[in-house]
Amino acid sequence: MLALSFSFVSCRETADKANEAAEAAADAAEEAGEAMGDAAEGAMDKAGEAVDAVKEAGDDAVDAAGDAVDSAKDAAGNAVDAVKDAGNDAADKAKEVGGDIKDAANKTADKAKEAAKEVEDKVKN
């Protein structure tokens, strides 16, 4: 009977230890699962941050390209304005020179008329 009691107690202790080991394994598996979930969540957060950074860099590049296009348009507009102003200045100078030439030609014609009149008057006299 004593052997039977030892055997029964021993089996019960073994069963209890087996249950404790199973519970410990279940707890460890649960903790490992939570750790994996946390790691996956952290990885997803980092991936999201990386996507946001790439998107932001892309937006910055688009903005820079737009600024470059605007600058090129402004420079082209300024060049056109400068050429237009130079053309207008040249036209104004040409008008001035043309006016001066016309005035000189009129003066010369008047002097020639006066000289011709003087010659005519001298011939008549």
Side-chain angles (χ1 to χ4, degrees), residues 41-83:
E41 186 176 322
M44 291 298 289
D45 289 344
K46 292 296 181 187
E49 290 172 9
V51 167
D52 290 344
V54 168
K55 182 180 175 192
E56 197 171 310
D59 290 345
D60 290 346
V62 168
D63 290 345
D67 291 346
V69 168
D70 290 343
S71 294
K73 284 173 34 180
D74 289 345
N78 291 341
V80 167
D81 290 344
V83 168

